[in-house]
């Protein structure tokens, strides 16, 4: 079955880089996603990576994928207090009709 | 593009009552998903529509839950005889089939249900 694991908490100082890690189990996963959730809100798509890539950069965000180890990471450069939120990793296995499986989320706290 | 819209934002109901939530997807998105999120957890899949056809239902969707998408546009999720364990955030998402395999899900802000 599909299982996505994330560490639950991360604290960083403003201006530092944040790295949020995720592991997944389904080797057929075609795409992997990062979503951001602020209090009381829905999920905002941040970025995604296709499974045949190993890195994707999008402004302050860098996604690294190690397909052999089924490990995904999200690096946020120059973290700001506005980046404080819960970050969810999600996988889209090849066998599903577009359905995503989510981790429990990592609560990122940025200290001024 | 006004995004995915969900109503109401909050619903408080007494145990045993029925509730209905509405989701308006991004226009022309033909795929629509319902997820449930409880405190401290990630979203869990409930059901999926392509146009008006309900193609997949999770085991989480007991017979007290029913979802419809009658004209392939908006969708409703009804919970009958609510229980305290139904208290959660109900999230709707939509995506567009036809952009290849990668059609990211776009989520609404959810309906928070509290059953007292």
């Amino acid at each position: 079955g599909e299982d996505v694991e994330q560490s639950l908490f991360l604290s960083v100082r403003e201006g530092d880089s944040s790295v949020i890690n995720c592991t997944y189990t389904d080797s057929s996963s075609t795409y992997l996603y990062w979503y951001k959730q602020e209090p009381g809100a829905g999920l905002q798509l941040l970025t995604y990576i296709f499974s045949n890539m190993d890195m994707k950069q999008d402004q302050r965000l860098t996604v690294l994928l190690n397909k052999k180890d089924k490990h995904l990471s999200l690096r946020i450069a120059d973290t700001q207090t506005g980046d404080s939120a819960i970050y969810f990793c999600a996988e889209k296995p090849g066998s599903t009709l577009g359905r995503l499986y989510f981790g429990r989320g990592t609560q990122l706290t940025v200290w001024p | 593009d006004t995004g995915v819209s969900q109503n109401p934002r909050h619903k408080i109901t007494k145990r045993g009552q029925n509730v209905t939530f509405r989701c308006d997807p991004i226009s022309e998105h033909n795929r629509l998903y319902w997820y449930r999120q409880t405190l401290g957890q990630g979203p869990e899949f409930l059901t999926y529509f392509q146009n008006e056809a309900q193609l997949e239902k999770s085991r989480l969707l007991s017979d007290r839950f029913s979802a419809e998408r009658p004209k392939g546009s908006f969708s409703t999720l009804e919970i009958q005889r609510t229980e305290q364990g139904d208290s959660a955030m109900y999230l709707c998402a939509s995506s567009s089939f036809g952009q290849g395999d990668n059609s990211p899900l776009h989520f609404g802000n959810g309906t928070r249900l509290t059953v007292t």
Side-chain angles (χ1 to χ4, degrees), chain A residues 28-45:
Chain A
S28 74
S29 288
T30 55
Y31 286 88
L32 295 131
Y33 300 83
W34 285 103
Y35 282 85
K36 175 183 179 182
Q37 187 175 39
E38 299 188 48
L43 276 69
Q44 174 194 352
L45 176 67

Side-chain angles (χ1 to χ4, degrees), chain A residues 13-101:
Chain A
R13 197 165 290 281
E14 190 174 25
D16 288 350
S17 292
S18 309
V19 180
I20 302 171
N21 294 300
C22 168
T23 58
Y24 60 98
T25 57
D26 194 320
S27 57
S28 74
S29 288
T30 55
Y31 286 88
L32 295 131
Y33 300 83
W34 285 103
Y35 282 85
K36 175 183 179 182
Q37 187 175 39
E38 299 188 48
L43 276 69
Q44 174 194 352
L45 176 67
L46 285 179
T47 187
Y48 62 90
I49 188 166
F50 185 46
S51 58
N52 70 352
M53 299 169 64
D54 52 19
M55 187 182 91
K56 180 178 180 181
Q57 186 148 5
D58 185 358
Q59 299 183 350
R60 292 191 297 124
L61 305 178
T62 302
V63 179
L64 295 179
L65 174 61
N66 181 327
K67 195 173 179 182
K68 174 176 167 291
D69 294 338
K70 299 191 190 69
H71 182 267
L72 183 73
S73 68
L74 174 70
R75 179 177 180 268
I76 306 173
D78 186 25
T79 315
Q80 302 297 307
T81 54
D83 295 324
S84 293
I86 301 176
Y87 290 80
F88 290 96
C89 169
E91 63 170 343
K92 183 196 290 191
S95 59
T96 63
L97 296 170
R99 175 207 307 195
L100 301 186
Y101 291 89

Side-chain angles (χ1 to χ4, degrees), chain A residues 33 35 40 48 92 99, chain B residues 9 35 37 56 101-102 105:
Chain A
Y33 300 83
Y35 282 85
Y48 62 90
K92 183 196 290 191
R99 175 207 307 195
Chain B
R9 289 296 311 277
Y35 280 78
Q37 185 181 23
E56 193 174 5
D101 186 47
N102 181 36
L105 271 61

Side-chain angles (χ1 to χ4, degrees), chain B residues 2-57:
Chain B
T2 58
V4 178
S5 176
Q6 292 189 246
N7 288 288
R9 289 296 311 277
H10 303 275
K11 179 70 177 177
I12 300 174
T13 191
K14 290 187 189 313
R15 191 175 54 189
Q17 298 295 305
N18 299 345
V19 293
T20 301
F21 311 139
R22 177 180 169 123
C23 171
D24 288 88
I26 293 171
S27 57
E28 297 175 1
H29 273 191
N30 52 7
R31 289 180 168 180
L32 188 147
Y33 306 79
W34 285 98
Y35 280 78
R36 181 174 70 186
Q37 185 181 23
T38 53
L39 199 61
Q41 302 295 321
E44 296 173 294
F45 171 79
L46 292 178
T47 190
Y48 156 68
F49 290 85
Q50 183 159 309
N51 299 314
E52 65 276 8
Q54 188 173 20
L55 296 186
E56 193 174 5
K57 287 166 62 171

